[in-house]
Amino acid sequence: MTLRLIIFVLIVIGLLVHHPESEAAPPGHPAPLPSAAADHVILFVLEGVDRQSLKTGPMPALSRLAKEGAATWSAGTVAPPHRLPAMASLLTGLPVGKHGITWDTFEFSRGYPRPPTVFDYLDLSGGRDSAIFFMDESLYQLAKPEPYTDYQVCGPLKPECSPERLVSYIKQYVRKAASGEGYGHAILGLPHFLVVHLPDGARAGMEHGWSSGGYRTALRSVDQAMKSVLAIFKDHGLLARTTVFVTSLSGTGAAQGESTAASSPVPWIASGAGIKNGHAIRQPVSIVDTGATVLRAFRLETHTEWESRAVEEIFRDAPGVATTSAKGR
């Protein structure tokens, strides 16, 4: 074998075994950022919470997520910002006029929504399972039975239903799902996508007033529930590989009527795996964009008819987007 041929063979072997992504960073250079793909995603869906809420009562868990991640306090919701239509928009990636759910109570005769939801897209594009915990019976309208989703729904018809009780359900669910034997329902292991609905802020604000002690108590309860869910994931060693999203179906202005929906912006926050630290989101954001951004967090891609668009600038691997401080937003 000639020397030229030997050199050629060595070069080919080097190309086959060369894996630059596994190499350590050169001395004096920062290590590469971890992959933006999340193993798990938690979505907290609040109600009756906006920036003004933090002046009414401190929400340390929410504030920390905003400080440590990417945030805007001026995201748009839907009009009117009623619970069932707004949640349908968040999950289907469509405005109310397109998904067609205009009523706000569970009506068995109407069946489930026809448009596919983010849960369908997660299954079709990546085989991801979802566990959904709703705190209102009206949302049974969205609880379409599928082999890749588990639902638990409680609400005002069950006096014992509270954010604390919902957390206990989630704790039990995760413990059984992590046991290796599955939960015993549709999903046989830990869900990739966890949705936690916490509407007590809106309920207390509308019943007692937006500056009342009852509203402040509800905010504390909601914030503590978020903190507890994050602690569950930390205890199971999942939090470092989890992306967390927080938004609200309505702000405090929603109680004054439909016309205030556009002037009552809501928070939209992302934090955790793959998300920029201390980033103030510059682009316009709507709760409708949540589904596509969840897909993006998993690095999944799907071609759909929906109007949900990924909030690309929040991700550490987003090209050409500078990080800015989230203070003052």
Side-chain angles (χ1 to χ4, degrees), residues 189-271:
L190 280 167
H192 300 93
F193 184 36
L194 174 67
V195 179
V196 184
H197 173 227
L198 297 165
D200 277 32
R203 288 176 179 160
M206 289 186 283
E207 183 177 353
H208 304 294
W210 298 98
S211 59
S212 66
Y215 181 58
R216 287 193 294 273
T217 299
L219 293 180
R220 284 196 297 271
S221 180
V222 166
D223 195 73
Q224 181 59 47
M226 294 169 59
K227 179 181 178 181
S228 298
V229 171
L230 296 176
I232 293 170
F233 270 59
K234 183 177 181 180
D235 291 344
H236 284 268
L238 304 174
L239 197 56
R241 297 175 284 122
T242 298
T243 303
V244 182
F245 294 97
V246 187
T247 191
S248 185
L249 300 181
S250 59
T252 56
Q256 280 88 53
E258 298 180 10
S259 62
T260 63
S263 61
S264 181
V266 296
W268 197 95
I269 297 164
S271 187

Side-chain angles (χ1 to χ4, degrees), residues 102-285:
T102 56
W103 60 98
D104 201 30
T105 58
F106 173 59
E107 297 185 18
F108 179 79
S109 62
R110 293 182 181 268
Y112 300 110
R114 290 187 178 183
T117 65
V118 61
F119 312 125
D120 299 317
Y121 292 132
L122 284 171
D123 176 67
L124 290 171
S125 59
R128 302 304 202 273
D129 297 323
S130 304
I132 304 102
F133 291 80
F134 286 148
M135 275 191 69
D136 193 89
E137 289 87 357
S138 69
L139 300 182
Y140 272 118
Q141 202 83 61
L142 306 175
K144 181 167 56 175
E146 299 287 0
Y148 43 83
T149 56
D150 276 336
Y151 291 91
Q152 290 196 31
V153 182
C154 68
L157 297 181
K158 296 181 179 180
E160 71 276 11
C161 186
S162 65
E164 294 79 13
R165 178 59 62 92
L166 197 73
V167 168
S168 72
Y169 294 160
I170 296 170
K171 185 178 295 185
Q172 180 188 55
Y173 185 97
V174 172
R175 184 177 67 250
K176 289 187 176 181
S179 67
E181 300 178 0
Y183 187 72
H185 292 302
I187 301 174
L188 300 179
L190 280 167
H192 300 93
F193 184 36
L194 174 67
V195 179
V196 184
H197 173 227
L198 297 165
D200 277 32
R203 288 176 179 160
M206 289 186 283
E207 183 177 353
H208 304 294
W210 298 98
S211 59
S212 66
Y215 181 58
R216 287 193 294 273
T217 299
L219 293 180
R220 284 196 297 271
S221 180
V222 166
D223 195 73
Q224 181 59 47
M226 294 169 59
K227 179 181 178 181
S228 298
V229 171
L230 296 176
I232 293 170
F233 270 59
K234 183 177 181 180
D235 291 344
H236 284 268
L238 304 174
L239 197 56
R241 297 175 284 122
T242 298
T243 303
V244 182
F245 294 97
V246 187
T247 191
S248 185
L249 300 181
S250 59
T252 56
Q256 280 88 53
E258 298 180 10
S259 62
T260 63
S263 61
S264 181
V266 296
W268 197 95
I269 297 164
S271 187
I275 303 298
K276 293 177 179 178
N277 181 273
H279 179 75
I281 299 173
R282 295 176 176 178
Q283 70 184 82
V285 179

Side-chain angles (χ1 to χ4, degrees), residues 276 296 312 315-322:
K276 293 177 179 178
R296 171 66 170 82
E312 184 68 31
F315 294 99
R316 287 200 299 253
D317 63 351
V321 181

